[in-house]
Every structure is written in C-alpha cells, then in structure tokens.
Amino acid sequence: MKTVSLISQVIIPLFILFAILYGCIKRVRVYDCFISGAKGGVGVVVRVFPYLLAIFVAVKAFQASGALEFAQELLLGLLKVFHVPIDVVSIALIKPLSGSASLGVFTNIVKTNGPDSLASLISAVIIGSAETTFYVLAVYLGAVGIKRTRYLVPVCVLADLVGIIIAIGIVRFFFHLG
Amino acid sequence: MNTVWVLLIVISVFFSFLNGRLDEFTKSIFEGAKSAVEVSLFLLGIVSLWLGITKIIEDSGLIHRLSGFFQYFVRRLFKNIPPDHPAITSITLNFLANLFGLGNAATPLGIKAMQDLKTLHPGGETITFEMMVFIVVNTASIQLIPFTVIGILADYGSKNPSAIVLPTLLATFLSALFALGILFAVRRILK
C-alpha cells in the first residue's frame, strides 16, 4: 500500500518535470507554449458554465425537496428481497448526481456500519467503479455545444444500473458476506 | 438531457409542495448556482493548467511517444476516426489519466478530446457515435486504484483497506464492458 500511494504522489510532479525537460531538449519555447495552450481554458469554461449551472441547480433542488428520499424508500422494498443493505440505495442514487455528496454519504455509511461491513464494501466498490454521470455529460456535451444526444442518456443510466448490480455481485463473491 | 432536466425540476417542485419544503427548494437552487460558480472557477484553473502542459508535450512531440502503445487499443475502439487524427491522441491521454486516477487531468483532456472529435463533424449539434463511445467509457470510469475510498476506509479502522482494490478493478472493467455492449447493441437495434 505504501509504494502504491508513493507512486500516486510522485506521478504528477515527475510528469510535469519530464514534459518541460523534454520540451527544452527538443528546443521548444516551453513558456510561450504553456501560455498559448492555457489561453484556451477560459473559452472552454465559459462555454461549459451554463450547462454546469443547469445540472447543479436541478440536482440540489432534487435533494432538498425530499424527492431523493422518496426514491430511496421506493427502492428499499426491492432491495430487501435481494438481501442488499439499505445504505447501498443512497450511494447508488447519489453517485451519478454528485461526487462530493456521494463521498459524504459514503463516509457516513462507513461511520455507522463499520469499515468492514457489507454495506461499506459495496459502497466502496460503487464509488470506485462509477462516475458522476450527469456531471460528465454536462461538461463534455457543453464543451462542444451538442444539443441532440440521441440515445446516449438512456444508455448511460442503464449502464449505471448494471454497474451497481455488478458491484453488489462482485463484493458478495469476494467477501462471502451476507 | 432535456428530458432529464425537466423531470428533475418538475419532480423537485412537486415534492417540495408535498413535503412543505418550498423554502428549502428556493434556497437549494441558489446553492446550486453558487456551487456551479465554485466548480467553474476550479475548472478554469485546472483546465487552463493542463491545456498549457498538453500544448508543451504536443509541440515537443512527447505526446506521440507517451500514448504510443495504448493507441492501438483506442484505434480499435474508434474505427471510424482516421488513425492520425489528433482525437486519437487526446482520447488516449484522457483514458490514461482516468486509469491512474488523475481526475484533475482527465477532465481537461476529455474536453480536448471532445473538441477534437467535433472537428470530424464541424457545425453539427447532434452527437456522433464516436462521442457516445468516448462518453460512455468515461462515465464507466476505469480506474486502477481508488485512493480516496481506501483512505476513508483506512481512517475508520478497516482491517485491510486495500482488499477493495481487486473487486473495484474487476467491477469497473466489467461495467465498462457492459456499458459499451449496451451502446453497441442499441446502435444495432436502431439501425
């Protein structure tokens, strides 16, 4: 574990050092290059902003209105049939919507159930193997001004659902719990 | 996205009526607006930073050496992109950044990949199949080691926090495969 986290600490500084030194060796004007590349950043963020705004407002409202809790209760009955811990519902619902909120929910699950419980392990695998789908969609589609997304959104939602089922199955298989 | 957005807003207003949380609803939309600004400011910094670094490795030719062997796989996945198109390189770099859990680098590189993909169909407002493949792989988030999760588990005294690595890796690869499978299946059905 120590070596693994060491590698993750070292990778970005080394990469930047290498990129700059390699540029110097190839006689590239590194500083001017950096500036001209970075100029593009402003345009991208300005273009993405309205899309981000739309999705953030909708997601916050969905949480605050109690609609999220209702959806959780709706799914509870279903999960009881398959002997899946209830906490998994909250992580599965929040993960596609908000990255920071899902880390908060995860920390809470670990705190209440203990780090080696089935609920914590399943949530850990879901967090590690899923993405904040709607954020990714907003940013990437916004960056190039795509308006018609054809069947992308339903496919992503279905894929998220399959991903959660896979995560539950794999944790069951690996840890022989529940 | 239109349907998703309308559903989220309408359902939220409906439930805030039902639960008597109209105040919370109003507060939450302003909070949402605030966090959109915060995230955008954060993005402004890291996107510009990584676009700057990317420009250096582009101009020095390092980009082609870095993404060399991984590109074979990307070319197979995106058969309709000309093999020498810049989109291949930016997609490769985005996948690599995701793989190593460098979320801060992955998003800017992903934006660049989308822009490169767009140059294949300039002016179009309809998504291309290649863009869909790219986004689906990204939402499945293939990652080798989930550092944040391991950190939290360790903080709360897990006996063996890194036991989660192998199951997560397996789950992430399987769900990415399934996601791509669904996408290709839907295309075949609709054709």
Side-chain angles (χ1 to χ4, degrees):
Chain A
M1 204 40 229
K2 280 235 173 72
T3 43
V4 168
S5 68
L6 188 72
I7 291 169
S8 78
Q9 278 172 24
V10 153
I11 192 164
I12 287 190
L14 273 191
F15 177 74
I16 290 176
L17 179 72
F18 186 63
I20 289 174
L21 288 183
Y22 190 86
C24 291
I25 292 167
K26 290 278 166 178
R27 306 216 166 273
V28 171
R29 295 192 54 87
V30 177
Y31 176 73
D32 301 287
C33 236
F34 180 83
I35 300 293
S36 78
K39 256 183 210 157
V42 184
V44 171
V45 175
V46 169
R47 228 171 307 140
V48 169
F49 178 72
Y51 295 87
L52 269 187
L53 180 69
I55 199 73
F56 276 39
V57 166
V59 167
K60 283 267 183 205
F62 195 71
Q63 280 175 275
S65 66
L68 189 68
E69 292 157 40
F70 180 76
Q72 284 172 359
E73 271 165 36
L74 213 65
L75 285 171
L76 270 187
L78 187 73
L79 284 192
K80 270 194 188 133
V81 179
F82 293 102
H83 301 285
V84 174
I86 356 167
D87 292 309
V88 173
V89 180
S90 38
I91 211 82
L93 281 175
I94 199 76
K95 181 65 200 179
L97 297 175
S98 161
S100 51
S102 64
L103 273 185
V105 171
F106 174 62
T107 312
N108 205 27
I109 292 174
V110 175
K111 213 189 284 176
T112 47
N113 295 282
D116 297 310
S117 63
L118 183 61
S120 298
L121 292 172
I122 292 178
S123 312
V125 172
I126 290 177
I127 293 228
S129 70
E131 193 37 271
T132 42
T133 306
F134 289 101
Y135 170 77
V136 170
L137 286 174
V139 171
Y140 285 178
L141 296 174
V144 289
I146 294 292
K147 295 210 172 93
R148 281 179 296 277
T149 53
R150 291 156 78 189
Y151 43 87
L152 176 67
V153 178
V155 166
C156 283
V157 172
L158 186 61
D160 276 344
L161 192 69
V162 174
I164 285 157
I165 296 170
I166 290 176
I168 295 172
I170 284 181
V171 171
R172 278 269 172 77
F173 176 77
F174 266 85
F175 295 98
H176 304 290
L177 288 169
Chain B
M1 285 304 273
N2 193 38
T3 327
V4 172
W5 198 69
V6 170
L7 277 178
L8 282 175
I9 299 279
V10 171
I11 292 174
S12 302
V13 176
F14 176 73
F15 270 92
S16 44
F17 259 113
L18 214 67
N19 297 331
R21 292 198 192 171
L22 287 169
D23 262 0
E24 279 88 340
F25 175 85
T26 312
K27 232 183 269 169
S28 73
I29 56 171
F30 292 126
E31 252 173 56
K34 203 176 118 193
S35 44
V37 172
E38 285 164 2
V39 171
S40 296
L41 277 181
F42 173 70
L43 272 180
L44 178 63
I46 57 159
V47 169
S48 307
L49 172 65
W50 283 104
L51 287 181
I53 304 271
T54 313
K55 183 85 171 119
I56 295 177
I57 63 172
E58 268 175 11
D59 285 9
S60 64
L62 180 61
I63 205 163
H64 298 292
R65 290 177 165 236
L66 273 180
S67 52
F69 98 103
F70 204 71
Q71 267 188 8
Y72 170 77
F73 160 77
V74 173
R75 281 200 192 112
R76 291 293 298 266
L77 190 60
F78 297 89
K79 281 188 182 135
N80 290 332
I81 302 177
D84 295 324
H85 194 272
I88 294 284
T89 321
S90 49
I91 291 171
T92 309
L93 288 177
N94 165 269
F95 285 179
L96 283 175
N98 271 322
L99 210 56
F100 290 105
L102 310 174
N104 287 350
T107 310
L109 292 169
I111 290 172
K112 192 167 179 308
M114 285 298 285
Q115 288 170 335
D116 291 340
L117 283 173
K118 173 98 172 183
T119 60
L120 290 165
H121 297 271
E125 287 186 340
T126 304
I127 196 162
T128 64
F129 188 72
E130 280 68 38
M131 290 177 181
M132 288 202 256
V133 173
F134 176 70
I135 290 178
V136 162
V137 173
N138 258 277
T139 54
S141 119
I142 298 181
Q143 193 190 346
L144 289 181
I145 294 145
F147 291 104
T148 329
V149 169
I150 294 175
I152 294 174
L153 285 176
D155 274 352
Y156 286 92
S158 168
K159 279 175 276 170
N160 184 11
S162 41
I164 210 72
V165 172
L166 195 59
T168 306
L169 197 61
L170 201 59
T172 199
F173 269 105
L174 273 181
S175 56
L177 277 183
F178 266 94
L180 279 175
I182 294 169
L183 183 65
F184 278 89
V186 170
R187 178 172 74 161
R188 184 161 284 184
I189 291 165
L190 292 182
K191 237 179 190 173

